[in-house]
């Protein structure tokens, strides 16, 4: 999984020749929509997909985006946001 956009703004770094995909983002408190790209491998097949996840970030909290492949249709999945059990590191 990699982040593509945050509130409609590209977060992937680089050009089409070489893209650095971000694995974490720092967010201000408030409502956000994160666009993610997902590559799923199921045995010898690879499926690519993208989706948006919206949530309200609270001050001092850490969140994790989770994904799960549909057990009956391996080409579809769901994504959601959970509050992380890890504390926010001090700056």
């Amino acid at each position: 999984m990699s982040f593509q956009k945050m509130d409609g703004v590209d977060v992937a770094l680089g050009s089409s020749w070489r893209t650095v995909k971000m694995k974490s983002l720092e967010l201000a408190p408030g409502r956000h929509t994160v666009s993610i790209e997902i590559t799923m491998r199921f045995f010898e097949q690879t499926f690519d997909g993208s989706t948006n996840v919206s949530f309200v970030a609270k001050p001092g909290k850490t969140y994790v985006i989770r994904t799960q492949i549909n057990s009956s249709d391996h080409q579809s999945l769901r994504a959601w946001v959970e509050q992380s059990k890890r504390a926010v590191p001090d700056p």
Side-chain angles (χ1 to χ4, degrees):
M1 180 180 73
S2 62
F3 300 110
Q4 298 300 303
K5 293 181 184 264
M6 206 321 237
D7 298 331
V9 177
D10 287 334
V11 295
L13 306 172
S15 68
S16 59
W17 293 104
R18 181 177 180 275
T19 301
V20 177
K21 295 181 178 180
M22 299 180 74
K23 296 291 184 185
S24 66
L25 297 171
E26 187 170 328
L27 309 171
R31 176 162 284 290
H32 297 285
T33 300
V34 179
S35 300
I36 57 175
E37 183 178 275
I38 302 155
T39 300
M40 299 175 287
R41 289 181 182 81
F42 185 74
F43 292 104
E44 296 171 1
Q45 295 181 317
T46 300
F47 304 101
D48 294 317
S50 60
T51 191
N52 294 326
V53 180
S54 296
F55 66 103
V56 177
K58 296 181 181 176
K61 301 294 180 186
T62 302
Y63 299 90
V64 177
I65 297 176
R66 304 265 188 220
T67 59
Q68 182 180 38
I69 297 172
N70 185 326
S71 62
S72 60
D73 175 9
H74 303 297
Q75 294 186 39
S76 68
L77 61 87
R78 67 184 189 101
W80 67 96
V81 176
E82 293 179 354
Q83 186 174 323
S84 175
K85 295 183 183 349
R86 289 192 286 164
V88 176
D90 289 329

